[in-house]
Amino acid sequence: MRQYQLYINGEWIDAKSGGTFKVLNPYTEEAIAEVAKGSREDAQIAIDAARKAFDSGIWSGLPPQRRCEILLDIAERLAAKQSELIELETKDAGMTTRMSSMADIPGGIGQFRYYAELARSVPFYEGLPPMEFPTSYNFVLREPIGVCGQIIPWNAPFLMAVSKLAPALAAGNTVVLKPASYTPITALELAKIIDESDMPKGVVSVVTGPGSTVGEEIAANPKVDKVSFTGSTEVGRRIMELASSTVKKVTLELGGKSPVIVLEDANWDVAIDGVLYGVYLHSGQICVAGTRLFLPGSIHDEFVEKLVAKASHMKLGDPMDWGTDMGPLVSAEQRDRVEGYIKSGLGQGARLACGGARPKELEKGYFVEPTIFIDVKNDMKIAQEEIFGPVLSVIKYSSVDEAIDMANDTIYGLAGAVWSEDMGRAMDVAKKIRSGTVWINEHHMIDTRHPFGGYKQSGIGREMGIYGFHEYTEIKHVYMDLVRKRESKLWYGMVCSG
């Protein structure tokens, strides 16, 4: 079993309390690691180190080219350990090896390379329109914000760690990262690689432990200049509340209840598989999962029949097996939560078209069958709340306008999808869906170069691409006076004429 300490100020240390916690493989339900259980005091030590490192300029003061070189070196070290990271991510998070090897790990490494290059290519200086009177030269400096606290979720731990760390570091900030307690392993392996690089001490610290202590300290501590959080809307509200005490900047990527609108002219061969991919990737434990399917009444029954036939034949089992379509949920607690929503759906009058139980053939692992509800009303709990599990709610509509109204009738606005062979019609629907990302004839297509974030209670700010990079910078306007004579100053004669 692997052992991990806290990584603070360039050193691997035990938690001040001496406490640890076990990390379980959600497929075998057995412990695969023992990890230090940090506390508020540990978080404070890490924050103090980050504050000292930032204020000293040992990272922010480096030439952008040098920051780029160090980050590229980290990316290459990650690439050399890619096979090990894939195995660890699969065992820790329960995602299939298909997902970890085709998306999560290589995607994270690619992000590190992308932001490393941005460190030297993004201009930190931008000219502004000149003022003719009084004559002056004006420009903007982009500067790092300072100490950034970052709190990541358990569903894609490596990718989430990189998507926070890489842009913050590329912009010259220092970072205190808190991984989720269910899935901290690959973030700690990332810390090992950072420790082996030329990254100055104190620039990156990784503190594992409960959100109620470590996370809240990061969000509230006055020495932290910005907090970035990905997770539930409920916890995001708490982060925002704590951050408000010092008016620190926040980036929040929160919950979702993504609508999928299938129009009558959709290509069924592609759309059926696309809908299943949209909702069942990583057992539905993805914030942009397409968990609300809107179908026109004219095709509803036949479309659902074909969906059910395919969903019922999905292979559940060992996520390390390349043939597995869907792995377990991350924990027993998450399985209980999903089962609670299934019970709620039945209680409110929805009907199960398939699934809704634990697979009988699997004795271990936190599994729930691919589940499809029909006769769902848009105001039901299963249609309004984020389940974060393999549960699809099918809602019938009579007109496209009705489908759009129901799609937008939620507190969330993270993503959505439209399926149609008529691109003009699909684009019209996409424009009316109030969410940060809309896919046409696709789902889950997120690229490092493209902005990602939510409307409404799905978040604040954007991650990914140049947009995510700029979220970690301050804008400073500099006014350089070009008038030399006192008598020519704009203010001459207003207050100083003698």
Side-chain angles (χ1 to χ4, degrees):
M1 185 165 58
R2 291 173 179 253
Q3 307 284 331
Y4 293 97
Q5 297 171 292
L6 307 177
Y7 182 67
I8 297 177
N9 199 24
E11 303 291 340
W12 290 98
I13 60 174
D14 292 332
K16 283 291 183 182
S17 68
T20 62
F21 62 93
K22 296 286 198 307
V23 176
L24 304 183
N25 178 328
Y27 173 63
T28 65
E29 304 183 33
E30 297 173 353
I32 55 175
E34 185 174 24
V35 178
K37 186 177 182 180
S39 64
R40 285 186 181 274
E41 184 180 3
D42 296 302
Q44 289 163 1
I45 295 169
I47 291 166
D48 287 345
R51 181 81 268 161
K52 182 179 179 181
F54 181 79
D55 293 343
S56 73
I58 58 173
W59 181 246
S60 60
L62 286 180
Q65 174 65 31
R66 181 57 183 146
R67 287 207 301 269
C68 171
E69 291 169 354
I70 293 172
L71 294 176
L72 281 176
D73 174 61
I74 292 171
E76 294 312 308
R77 292 171 185 269
L78 288 169
K81 291 188 68 174
Q82 180 165 306
S83 295
E84 181 184 354
L85 291 169
I86 288 168
E87 181 179 352
L88 290 173
E89 191 84 331
T90 300
K91 290 181 176 178
D92 192 15
M95 69 175 62
T96 64
T97 193
R98 279 191 242 164
M99 180 177 172
S100 59
S101 62
M102 296 175 67
D104 195 65
I105 301 302
I109 295 169
Q111 276 200 36
F112 228 106
R113 290 189 177 119
Y114 172 81
Y115 283 111
E117 293 292 345
L118 283 191
R120 66 180 170 189
S121 64
V122 173
F124 285 81
Y125 165 95
E126 300 171 32
L128 292 172
M131 289 180 65
E132 294 181 4
F133 180 76
T135 308
S136 62
Y137 180 59
N138 291 263
F139 56 95
V140 160
L141 295 178
R142 283 196 176 272
E143 299 179 337
I145 291 174
V147 176
C148 297
Q150 303 183 324
I151 304 169
I152 61 173
W154 44 257
N155 58 334
F158 181 77
L159 194 58
M160 290 292 102
V162 170
S163 69
K164 302 287 189 194
L165 278 171
L169 294 173
N173 299 280
T174 59
V175 175
V176 177
L177 176 74
K178 193 204 92 65
S181 294
Y182 285 139
T183 57
I185 293 177
T186 47
L188 291 164
E189 291 293 330
L190 173 56
K192 286 183 181 180
I193 289 172
I194 290 172
D195 186 57
E196 294 166 359
S197 74
D198 289 335
M199 182 69 69
K201 288 187 175 183
V203 174
V204 176
S205 291
V206 179
V207 183
T208 48
S212 60
T213 53
V214 175
E216 295 218 349
E217 181 62 36
I218 288 172
N221 193 295
K223 295 179 182 178
V224 174
D225 301 297
K226 172 187 170 73
V227 60
S228 179
F229 168 77
T230 297
S232 71
T233 294
E234 180 183 6
V235 177
R237 294 188 193 109
R238 176 61 176 164
I239 296 290
M240 199 171 181
E241 177 187 352
L242 292 168
S244 70
S245 65
T246 53
V247 200
K248 59 171 56 73
K249 294 179 180 295
V250 295
T251 299
L252 303 174
E253 194 266 279
L254 306 177
K257 196 68 182 174
S258 299
V260 178
I261 300 177
V262 175
L263 303 185
E264 290 176 330
D265 66 347
N267 180 335
W268 284 30
D269 288 340
V270 181
I272 288 170
D273 287 346
V275 168
L276 294 174
Y277 170 67
V279 68
Y280 295 135
L281 180 67
H282 198 19
S283 303
Q285 298 172 120
I286 298 180
C287 53
V288 295
T291 53
R292 290 185 299 154
L293 174 61
F294 294 93
L295 291 176
S298 59
I299 67 171
H300 176 277
D301 293 352
E302 187 178 354
F303 198 95
V304 168
E305 182 181 350
K306 292 181 181 297
L307 271 182
V308 168
K310 286 205 167 187
S312 300
H313 285 90
M314 292 179 68
K315 180 181 176 182
L316 279 61
D318 185 355
M320 290 296 294
D321 181 348
W322 190 262
T324 295
D325 295 314
M326 203 173 83
L329 297 171
V330 75
S331 66
E333 292 81 3
Q334 186 61 19
R335 181 180 59 190
D336 291 345
R337 172 185 167 86
V338 172
E339 289 175 335
Y341 275 106
I342 292 171
K343 184 177 180 181
S344 168
L346 293 170
Q348 289 190 308
R351 290 194 297 124
L352 279 172
C354 70
R358 301 179 187 184
K360 296 181 176 62
E361 68 275 14
L362 296 171
E363 295 181 359
K364 283 190 175 182
Y366 309 123
F367 289 93
V368 172
E369 295 171 334
T371 298
I372 297 176
F373 273 109
I374 57 174
D375 294 342
V376 177
K377 305 300 181 186
N378 200 47
D379 60 355
M380 289 181 179
K381 191 174 180 180
I382 58 171
Q384 287 294 315
E385 297 185 13
E386 185 176 46
I387 298 174
F388 232 57
V391 180
L392 176 65
S393 295
V394 182
I395 302 170
K396 190 184 298 186
Y397 70 84
S398 57
S399 71
V400 175
D401 286 342
E402 181 191 23
I404 293 168
D405 287 344
M406 289 191 291
N408 290 331
D409 185 18
T410 170
I411 65 170
Y412 299 113
L414 192 57
V418 185
W419 293 86
S420 172
E421 290 295 278
D422 184 333
M423 289 300 101
R425 195 174 177 215
M427 188 62 197
D428 183 59
V429 174
K431 287 179 179 179
K432 295 175 182 177
I433 295 175
R434 293 201 34 87
S435 65
T437 297
V438 179
W439 296 289
I440 295 176
N441 296 330
E442 238 332 334
H443 211 104
H444 290 308
M445 293 297 110
I446 297 173
D447 188 279
T448 301
R449 300 163 296 175
H450 304 161
F452 180 71
Y455 286 24
K456 299 187 280 185
Q457 293 189 43
S458 283
I460 296 173
R462 290 296 180 269
E463 297 186 300
M464 315 289 268
I466 189 67
Y467 311 90
F469 181 89
H470 283 161
E471 292 279 357
Y472 285 98
T473 63
E474 292 276 22
I475 296 176
K476 178 183 286 183
H477 166 219
V478 178
Y479 174 103
M480 184 179 293
D481 177 58
L482 299 179
V483 176
R484 294 292 183 264
K485 293 183 179 180
R486 180 172 68 108
E487 295 81 2
S488 299
K489 295 287 189 181
L490 177 64
W491 43 260
Y492 185 75
M494 292 184 190
V495 294
C496 302
S497 59

